[in-house]
Amino acid sequence: MVPAVKITTIGNSLGIVLPREVLQRLRVGKGSMLYLVELPDGVALVPYDAEVATQIEALESVARSDRDVLRGLALRKSPARPATAVTGTTGSTGSTAATARIGARKSGSADD
């Protein structure tokens, strides 16, 4: 079941109270920090991880400084590339830093 939460007044601000089950699932409690990640159809709450925060800051720095280069690459049509798997590394917190799949495989290819 997906819990519903109600926006309420907390001091001079608005906020939500997270159900105990959600807090347990996220492994967070009073004073913990969460990321509020915007998604195309809403938002997600993700536990704060200092290692991930450092990676996000580095990504944002590169995105700002090389904005024109990245925009040009995004607009450029590129030939199809072979499938490449990129797996993440486990950091000191035991969380996976990144997992991505690059390229596309044709179904029915010899290595399927």
Side-chain angles (χ1 to χ4, degrees):
M1 183 171 129
V2 178
V5 294
K6 184 177 181 180
I7 298 174
T8 186
T9 302
I10 301 175
N12 291 330
S13 302
L14 296 177
I16 60 172
V17 176
L18 298 174
R20 178 175 285 123
E21 298 80 27
V22 172
L23 296 172
Q24 289 172 345
R25 199 170 322 132
L26 291 172
R27 296 186 179 108
V28 297
K30 183 178 179 179
S32 296
M33 291 187 56
L34 298 171
Y35 288 111
L36 182 67
V37 181
E38 291 185 46
L39 303 172
D41 57 346
V43 296
L45 293 175
V46 182
Y48 176 84
D49 181 333
E51 186 176 328
V52 173
T54 302
Q55 293 172 357
I56 290 172
E57 288 172 14
L59 172 66
E60 289 174 343
S61 174
V62 168
R64 278 190 301 275
S65 65
D66 295 330
R67 181 179 6 177
D68 295 334
V69 173
L70 293 171
R71 185 176 291 128
L73 288 171
L75 297 174
R76 191 175 103 192
K77 290 185 180 180
S78 62
R81 296 183 203 148
T84 305
V86 176
T87 56
T89 58
T90 303
S92 59
T93 60
S95 63
T96 300
T99 302
R101 186 167 182 87
I102 302 171
R105 284 188 143 167
K106 293 182 180 177
S107 59
S109 65
D111 32 319
D112 277 348

